[in-house]
Amino acid sequence: MANSVPAPDGDLRLTTDAHLPTNLHTPLRPDAFALSDDEKISGITEHFREIMLLLGLDLTDDSLAGTPRRVAKMYVQEWFRGLNPEHRPEVRLFENRYQYSQLLLERDITLFSCCEHHFVPIIGKAHVAYLPGDNVVGLSKLNRVVQYYARRPQVQERLTRQIAEELKQTLHTDNVAVLIEADHLCVMSRGVNDTSSSTITAEYSGAFAEDATLRAEFLRLLGK
């Protein structure tokens, strides 16, 4: 059983994104963590097996026999592991002994997510920046924050803001910028079948929202 601590009102949904504004919570049922990961994998395996059978596939074939469980494990342990608050990264701050006060940018963070409308991949890059104050953070932790929120069913607009809000709270500063550029397979592989377009979203807070020069520097360093 996942070690979830119920919120004061008993709503387990609140343990996931309680630190975020309510409008940025990922939609979850109150009993989202009532089952263990193993129980979820078992249930998804059976349901996905039924989907494959309804499609007319022969699950006695060696190539297909293990697919339902493979998909279930991928969903729970990889694609959607960011739904579980136990996987929220612990971000340790370090004293800014160098007195570095200029823009700090981590760019081209590989991003894999999943469109919540069609359950197909979103693939792209995230770029995050902040102005250090009394503390700085290990650079790999910025990547981990991006991956934590990406590994859920998502829409890109909410993902961008979730990452920004997490960084603002973690770094104790409003001076944060997040820009995501991504390809959506729901656009590329179905519907309009457009393989040339991409989607860009940005969130600017604090000095990045107020100072056009700083914002321009951020975009210049990204080659925008």
Side-chain angles (χ1 to χ4, degrees):
M1 184 72 68
N3 297 320
S4 300
V5 179
D9 64 356
D11 191 341
L12 287 173
R13 289 175 299 183
L14 302 183
T15 65
T16 305
D17 295 334
H19 52 291
L20 297 178
T22 303
N23 64 319
L24 294 185
H25 287 188
T26 296
L28 287 172
R29 297 202 326 266
D31 61 348
F33 311 115
L35 298 178
S36 69
D37 283 358
D38 285 344
E39 289 171 322
K40 289 180 178 180
I41 289 171
S42 178
I44 294 170
T45 297
E46 293 308 311
H47 286 297
F48 202 81
R49 185 189 309 277
E50 191 62 29
I51 289 173
M52 294 180 69
L53 290 172
L54 289 170
L55 289 171
L57 296 170
D58 179 5
L59 269 67
T60 65
D61 185 273
D62 287 346
S63 181
L64 297 177
T67 297
R69 183 167 176 80
R70 282 192 292 267
V71 170
K73 290 177 67 177
M74 177 185 71
Y75 278 176
V76 174
Q77 297 175 352
E78 298 176 86
W79 274 25
F80 305 132
R81 72 189 311 271
L83 290 173
N84 191 331
E86 291 182 350
H87 297 144
R88 185 186 177 198
E90 293 185 18
V91 179
R92 180 183 173 191
L93 298 179
F94 300 91
E95 181 184 353
N96 185 6
R97 285 178 273 178
Y98 337 104
Q99 297 299 304
Y100 182 79
S101 60
Q102 301 303 307
L103 181 153
L104 192 154
L105 169 65
E106 182 83 358
R107 69 180 191 180
D108 294 331
I109 299 172
T110 301
L111 183 146
F112 292 102
S113 193
C114 183
C115 165
E116 67 182 38
H117 299 146
H118 296 95
F119 267 46
V120 293
I122 299 170
I123 303 171
K125 301 285 186 182
H127 317 284
V128 301
Y130 71 99
L131 295 179
D134 294 332
N135 298 292
V136 293
V137 66
L139 296 180
S140 68
K141 299 303 183 183
L142 300 177
N143 300 60
R144 293 184 188 280
V145 168
V146 170
Q147 294 302 335
Y148 174 62
Y149 286 102
R151 294 297 187 169
R152 313 173 170 200
Q154 276 289 11
V155 293
Q156 187 171 327
E157 299 91 333
R158 183 174 66 224
L159 172 60
T160 306
R161 293 204 58 210
Q162 284 179 334
I163 294 169
E165 288 297 324
E166 178 74 24
L167 293 174
K168 285 162 62 176
Q169 294 194 35
T170 298
L171 299 170
H172 308 299
T173 178
D174 286 337
N175 301 324
V176 167
V178 177
L179 188 145
I180 294 176
E181 42 192 343
D183 297 325
H184 293 243
L185 264 69
C186 58
V187 174
M188 300 174 70
S189 65
R190 57 160 302 282
V192 294
N193 293 121
D194 185 348
T195 60
S196 61
S197 64
S198 61
T199 301
I200 296 177
T201 50
E203 178 74 6
Y204 302 114
S205 299
F208 286 95
E210 299 162 1
D211 187 340
T213 301
L214 178 63
R215 208 161 50 246
E217 174 71 0
F218 170 67
L219 294 173
R220 183 187 68 80
L221 292 173
L222 294 180
K224 305 299 180 187

